[in-house]
Amino acid sequence: MQGLKRKVVYASLFELIAVCLTSTLLMFGAGHDASHAGVAAVASSTIAFIWNFVFNSLFESWEARQATRGRNWKRRVAHAVGFEGGLVVMLVPLFAWWLNISLWDALVLDIGLLLFFMVYTYIFSLTFDRIFGLPASAQG
């Protein structure tokens, strides 16, 4: 699977699982009620879904220009860090506003989610590539 279809399937599966995980983490881990946690999870997922398309397009464009093909652990870590780093910039103000917490508390909350999702992104991407194959940009 390649191109737009791959990106749509990847982002859809990623975010579907992420909404479930984020809602649960915000409810039980951060003590927010289900309605606030659910809306924050859906909003952050929508932002992440759009960012996913943008970031993966940029990453695959960069990847296609590299001399070494494939996705070793270093490239996968770079992918996860880049993706999640971009989300921090977008989500901290959203969490502060929606959950009525300070920017600091939102940053601490987002760092907790970030650490969790860095691992999730790495594992999801690895699993997705094993099931659906590598994108053309990583094939040799």
Side-chain angles (χ1 to χ4, degrees):
M1 177 180 354
Q2 297 297 324
L4 183 59
K5 181 178 179 183
R6 177 185 174 80
K7 287 179 177 69
V8 169
V9 171
Y10 180 96
S12 298
L13 288 173
F14 184 95
E15 294 307 327
L16 178 66
I17 295 167
V19 166
C20 295
L21 294 173
T22 304
S23 295
T24 302
L25 289 170
L26 288 172
M27 282 186 338
F28 297 114
H32 295 284
D33 64 55
S35 64
H36 263 65
V39 170
V42 170
S44 64
S45 180
T46 301
I47 291 167
F49 186 84
I50 294 165
W51 174 235
N52 198 312
F53 276 98
V54 171
F55 180 78
N56 282 325
S57 294
L58 294 171
F59 188 85
E60 288 175 13
S61 175
W62 168 83
E63 185 176 52
R65 295 187 309 271
Q66 302 309 300
T68 304
R69 295 294 187 193
R71 289 191 173 172
N72 61 20
W73 71 270
K74 290 178 186 177
R75 195 166 286 179
R76 289 184 185 283
V77 168
H79 180 271
V81 169
F83 177 75
E84 295 300 335
L87 281 180
V88 167
V89 172
M90 294 178 262
L91 295 182
V92 167
L94 172 71
F95 287 151
W97 171 72
W98 182 252
L99 299 173
N100 198 27
I101 58 178
S102 70
L103 283 172
W104 176 255
D105 289 339
L107 178 62
V108 170
L109 172 66
D110 199 45
I111 288 171
L113 290 171
L114 170 79
L115 294 173
F116 175 80
F117 275 97
M118 278 228 211
V119 174
Y120 168 67
T121 300
Y122 182 92
I123 292 169
F124 181 88
S125 182
L126 178 65
T127 304
F128 188 88
D129 288 347
R130 289 207 173 145
I131 293 170
F132 296 103
L134 290 174
S137 64
Q139 294 177 8

